[in-house]
Amino acid sequence: MRNLKAERILDIAKRRGFFWQSSLIHGAISGFYDYGHVGSMLKRKFENIWRDYFLGLDENFYEIQTSVVMPEEVFKASGHLENFVDPICKCSKCGNVMRADHILEKELKESFEGVSPEDLLKIIKKHDIRCEKCKGPLKETGVFNMLFPLKLGVGKGARTGYLTGETAQGAYVNFKLEFDSLRRRLPMGLAIIGKAFRNEISPRNVLIRMREFTQAELQIFFNPDMINEHPKFSEVKKYGLLLFPVKNRKGERIEKITCEDAVKKLKLPKFFVYHMARIQQFYLGVLGISKKSFRFRELSDEEKAFYNKYHWDIELHMETLGGFKEVAGIHYRTDHDLSGHQSVSGESMTVDINGKKVLPHVLELSFGVDRNVYALIELAYTEEKNRIVLKFPRAVSPYDAAVFPLVSKDGLDELANSVKDALRKDGFRVFYDDSGSIGRRYRRMDEIGVAACITIDYDSKKKKDVTLRDRDSMKQVRIRIKDLPAGLKRFLEGEELEKIGKLLKS
Ligand code: GAP
């Protein structure tokens, strides 16, 4: 069945400068994407909002930047060499290799995540599932490691390395150095916004399953004795989490449960639940995602990543992908990583907390930036009678405003340029457009989701004011040029248009 909405989003993505497959002119390889001028702005906006919000949760949280190439020992220590594998099956006729769980998911419409290759083969045989290319019988199953190996250097001194499969390992290998150079205090958070690489067998759904993608991850190192506490828990205890626990799987029922009840009834540690609340507040309050499009999905023991004790995914409802899809996760990784690095490197990862030796545990807040960018576009996508418009929350829009001179003559273009320059100087991200009719310029800006359009007309020269148009309602106000920076700021922060200037009759 054709997915028209998905096709239209991809069309806008390519036509308007959001994203497209990488190296298109040479024949693209699946799973690699480039961002154009608008997509880069949107991605950067998400990263900046994420950075400000999550680093703001605690004054002992910091951002670091680490290498994407790491030696083999790192992945031996983390368990990725052994466990970072996907189940595969092979066609005995044409030799095509597929993700065994994905082909079953496609045919039988249920999840097979975490099922062993042996059991997958039994299910494949029972339902006579065939090769998606040639319809030949599928015989073998096995596993495939997703890390990309690298040969580093030449000759005797050459070493084996890998492109990292998650940014997280950069934080673990640097934990001790950062702990010593900071306040020697737990909890300590190390955030990384960076690239991750996975040799996915079947990359698909554009930015959802890629081979090279960006993650924004925060590793919170804490004293395991304190897992049932958080100094700010009282701030969130009555806050309702939108949860989809394993026990609700059959009915797809999302439960609203307060943080204090999540601790009491679901037996989740306070430290974990506090951060769930902050994540939900990020999505609903900061990114403006509606409640009905958000949920935490608990993973069963078979589905959990190999390093996690508690593992809940954050899922957003995306029509083009047929329902809720994972965009982030909250993971209690215990001391899995630090003890692994300690034993492989021989370097102690314990720290001294009030005279006691402690091997910190890790709570990980892990976000796929590209998946979130796609979700923001899909949730903003709106078709109206005469236009397609991306109704991003104002604070998330790739550009804050566009400035247009009504015509490029009689000094209107000079005035428009000076308005644009002044706004840019004040830190606003402004697009300047002087080509085509005003109507066409509005449509272009609507398709990339620019929050406000500012038009300079003949009256602007006389009265020193401009028109500011709200993307969503298409209503317009007249505002004085000298009040524009403050007015635009208030508008982007959510102020009603009518309070910013004099409403024009439509
Ligand atoms: N450090 C933990 C970790 O990497 P994960 O669930 O494998 O956990 C975290 O990945 C997030 O990264 C996911 O929630 C998803 O948003 C994103 N992600 C994972 N694999 C991806 C892929 N192949 N393409 C795009 N994003 C991906």
Side-chain angles (χ1 to χ4, degrees):
M1 202 173 60
R2 282 185 71 190
N3 188 335
L4 269 183
K5 183 170 170 181
E7 283 175 27
R8 285 186 186 144
I9 289 177
L10 289 190
D11 171 57
I12 290 184
K14 199 166 164 195
R15 217 165 20 85
R16 295 285 183 220
F18 281 94
F19 60 81
W20 47 80
Q21 278 198 291
S22 183
S23 308
L24 266 180
I25 58 166
H26 293 291
I29 305 173
S30 305
F32 296 94
Y33 279 81
D34 290 344
Y35 284 88
H37 65 288
V38 182
S40 299
M41 301 273 278
L42 181 62
K43 187 167 180 248
R44 197 169 338 128
K45 258 252 162 103
F46 175 83
E47 291 170 359
N48 285 340
I49 293 173
W50 185 93
R51 183 181 274 123
D52 287 349
Y53 182 87
F54 286 100
L55 293 184
L57 290 183
D58 189 300
E59 59 178 47
N60 206 28
F61 288 179
Y62 300 89
E63 183 177 0
I64 60 171
Q65 293 189 23
T66 62
S67 176
V68 294
V69 176
M70 302 176 101
E72 186 162 39
E73 290 74 7
V74 169
F75 304 103
K76 206 190 254 177
S78 68
H80 281 77
L81 282 186
E82 199 182 327
N83 300 307
F84 199 48
V85 291
D86 270 343
I88 49 170
C89 58
K90 196 171 170 187
C91 172
S92 55
K93 200 167 146 201
C94 72
N96 182 30
V97 175
M98 289 147 277
R99 270 278 295 259
D101 53 342
H102 284 179
I103 187 153
L104 280 175
E105 196 181 304
K106 197 168 145 204
E107 296 292 330
L108 305 179
K109 309 277 177 271
E110 55 179 296
S111 168
F112 291 89
E113 224 177 298
V115 180
S116 72
E118 300 74 38
D119 287 343
L120 289 172
L121 187 59
K122 281 184 201 152
I123 305 169
I124 285 172
K125 284 194 170 149
K126 184 173 159 208
H127 294 274
D128 192 26
I129 307 291
R130 303 220 150 211
C131 172
E132 48 191 7
K133 278 204 177 138
C134 76
K135 298 288 167 224
L138 303 174
K139 285 239 165 78
E140 287 166 50
T141 53
V143 289
F144 173 77
N145 193 299
M146 283 188 283
L147 290 179
F148 283 105
L150 296 167
K151 186 103 186 134
L152 306 168
V154 285
K156 254 190 165 179
R159 280 179 77 177
T160 302
Y162 293 88
L163 289 173
T164 190
E166 54 171 0
T167 68
Q169 295 307 320
Y172 307 143
V173 297
N174 289 301
F175 162 70
K176 211 48 193 302
L177 278 169
E178 283 289 344
F179 186 82
D180 287 340
S181 71
L182 282 163
R183 303 157 193 227
R184 295 174 171 269
R185 192 160 74 64
L186 295 178
M188 180 184 90
L190 295 180
I192 300 174
I193 298 180
K195 290 278 192 173
F197 302 83
R198 298 181 188 179
N199 198 358
E200 297 280 356
I201 297 144
S202 35
R204 56 184 181 170
N205 292 335
V206 286
L207 305 184
I208 301 298
R209 193 168 296 281
M210 305 158 85
R211 288 181 166 138
E212 175 188 349
F213 54 99
T214 303
Q215 290 185 316
E217 297 193 302
L218 173 63
Q219 312 299 326
I220 308 172
F221 301 88
F222 67 97
N223 183 343
D225 292 346
M226 313 297 266
I227 191 164
N228 289 313
E229 292 169 34
H230 193 285
K232 292 187 187 159
F233 189 78
S234 61
E235 287 178 18
V236 300
K237 69 179 182 183
K238 298 283 179 217
Y239 182 71
L241 296 171
L242 299 165
L243 303 182
F244 182 48
V246 169
K247 68 179 173 59
N248 288 9
R249 283 286 168 90
K250 286 229 161 76
E252 287 274 316
R253 194 167 65 84
I254 298 172
E255 269 180 69
K256 190 168 180 184
I257 176 163
T258 62
C259 287
E260 57 187 356
D261 279 347
V263 172
K264 268 189 233 144
K265 296 182 185 158
L266 301 181
K267 308 272 177 270
L268 289 170
K270 272 188 184 168
F271 197 75
F272 191 86
V273 173
Y274 172 80
H275 290 95
M276 287 177 99
R278 293 306 188 206
I279 291 173
Q280 185 172 310
Q281 288 168 345
F282 172 70
Y283 276 100
L284 305 191
V286 181
L287 297 184
I289 304 295
S290 72
K291 281 185 186 158
K292 66 176 183 1
S293 303
F294 177 94
R295 73 181 185 190
F296 282 104
R297 178 177 183 271
E298 183 185 18
L299 273 73
S300 65
D301 285 340
E302 299 74 46
E303 293 166 332
K304 274 186 229 169
F306 62 91
Y307 41 76
N308 285 334
K309 181 163 174 189
Y310 299 120
H311 184 161
W312 290 68
D313 279 343
I314 291 91
E315 296 189 330
L316 299 181
H317 193 276
M318 287 179 254
E319 203 188 321
T320 58
L321 301 174
F324 277 99
K325 288 288 170 249
E326 173 196 348
V327 292
I330 173 164
H331 312 143
Y332 172 34
R333 295 177 72 131
T334 68
D335 63 355
H336 170 86
D337 300 275
L338 287 191
S339 65
H341 288 295
Q342 181 169 265
S343 76
V344 172
S345 69
E347 294 256 350
S348 167
M349 293 289 152
T350 57
V351 295
D352 187 303
I353 301 291
N354 302 328
K356 200 177 147 196
K357 270 191 177 305
V358 172
L359 182 60
H361 280 208
V362 169
L363 177 69
E364 174 183 61
L365 317 188
S366 172
F367 296 71
V369 174
D370 313 270
R371 283 193 192 184
N372 278 281
V373 166
Y374 183 82
L376 285 171
I377 296 173
E378 131 105 51
L379 293 169
Y381 180 89
T382 314
E383 282 182 26
E384 292 179 355
K385 204 168 156 220
N386 292 318
R387 63 174 188 158
I388 287 176
V389 51
L390 295 187
K391 294 188 172 179
F392 295 117
R394 290 175 194 164
V396 177
S397 299
Y399 286 96
D400 298 320
V403 172
F404 312 147
L406 183 65
V407 287
S408 284
K409 58 180 187 183
D410 303 331
L412 296 193
D413 45 352
E414 274 161 38
L415 184 56
N417 263 306
S418 71
V419 167
K420 177 243 329 171
D421 289 343
L423 288 174
R424 284 193 183 160
K425 219 169 167 186
D426 279 339
F428 293 102
R429 297 187 178 278
V430 182
F431 191 85
Y432 185 82
D433 192 359
D434 59 5
S435 61
S437 71
I438 285 287
R440 282 175 73 103
R441 284 184 250 171
Y442 281 151
R443 296 293 168 267
R444 274 204 291 266
M445 294 303 108
D446 288 345
E447 284 194 4
I448 61 176
V450 179
C453 288
I454 294 158
T455 305
I456 283 81
D457 54 22
Y458 285 100
D459 274 351
S460 306
K461 276 176 73 176
K462 282 185 249 149
K463 298 186 185 159
K464 304 273 178 280
D465 64 4
V466 296
T467 302
L468 187 147
R469 170 192 182 260
D470 169 25
R471 175 198 62 204
D472 295 350
S473 66
M474 295 192 278
K475 286 184 184 164
Q476 304 188 7
V477 289
R478 208 71 195 174
I479 177 169
R480 290 164 68 105
I481 292 175
K482 73 173 178 45
D483 298 332
L484 192 55
L488 182 59
K489 183 168 180 284
R490 277 164 46 220
F491 176 75
L492 294 173
E493 285 166 357
E495 181 85 285
E496 284 168 40
L497 186 73
E498 287 82 344
K499 294 194 180 149
I500 286 163
K502 193 166 175 302
L503 195 64
L504 297 180
K505 285 206 181 99
S506 47

